[in-house]
Amino acid sequence: MQLLHKVGRNPIIAAVRRPEELADALSSPVDNVFFMGGTVTELVQSVRLTKEAGKGAFVHLDLIKGLSSTDRESLEWIAKYAEADGVISPKSHIIKEAKRFGLYGILHLFIIDTAALENGLRLCRQIDPDGIELMPGVVDKVIRTFSESLNDKLIIASGLIQTCEEVNAALDAGATSLSVSNKELWNITFDQLNESNLL
């Protein structure tokens, strides 16, 4: 199943930086959790709880203490022992390797200028990630360019998203979902956004 079809009913992905934030993410209506911090020991427990709650678990490889963000062995460990659904990384070789272990691979891109935009689009076409996480998530023009150029990919806006208006703007620009650490936004559903747009 393509990752695009696993996003779920809600536009928000809970970006969890500390284990103590997980309970709030699991009690919210989000369908997926991005693990953006913690240790390998904490990760195993957190992924288990996330899967038991029926939510997807994705690991930002560069941000977990005890994992190498450059080794394929880390991917094998995430797949076999942590049993996560996928990984997030800015490293193209990690994204390519993830598929070999049955993991979804989300390419994390910082788009800070035109060169980064062009390089990011070229890289996505070369390595064919399952999804692309774009930072900062409040740059509508960048989101629109990626969503129009790579319309069969999951486009995740991430970074600096603090309000419902910014959520709507990113979705209107073509984002499929948003990875946010602001807990106040974790309860937003597509239905609520559609209702607010009708008012």
Side-chain angles (χ1 to χ4, degrees), residues 72 75 92-103:
R72 70 187 306 271
L75 293 171
S92 58
H93 72 282
I94 291 293
I95 299 305
K96 286 169 71 173
E97 283 286 318
K99 294 178 184 185
R100 293 190 181 144
F101 293 100
L103 297 167

Side-chain angles (χ1 to χ4, degrees), residues 10-15 30 32-34 154 156 177-181 186:
N10 304 309
I12 303 297
I13 297 167
V30 302
N32 295 286
V33 177
F34 281 6
L154 174 70
I156 304 163
S177 55
L178 299 90
S179 169
V180 299
S181 56
W186 289 357

Side-chain angles (χ1 to χ4, degrees), residues 79-118:
K80 288 185 178 177
Y81 299 102
E83 299 181 343
D85 295 294
V87 295
I88 307 146
S89 176
K91 297 174 177 71
S92 58
H93 72 282
I94 291 293
I95 299 305
K96 286 169 71 173
E97 283 286 318
K99 294 178 184 185
R100 293 190 181 144
F101 293 100
L103 297 167
Y104 289 111
I106 298 174
L107 183 64
H108 180 88
L109 295 175
F110 295 95
I111 307 300
I112 56 171
D113 58 20
T114 302
L117 176 70
E118 292 169 356

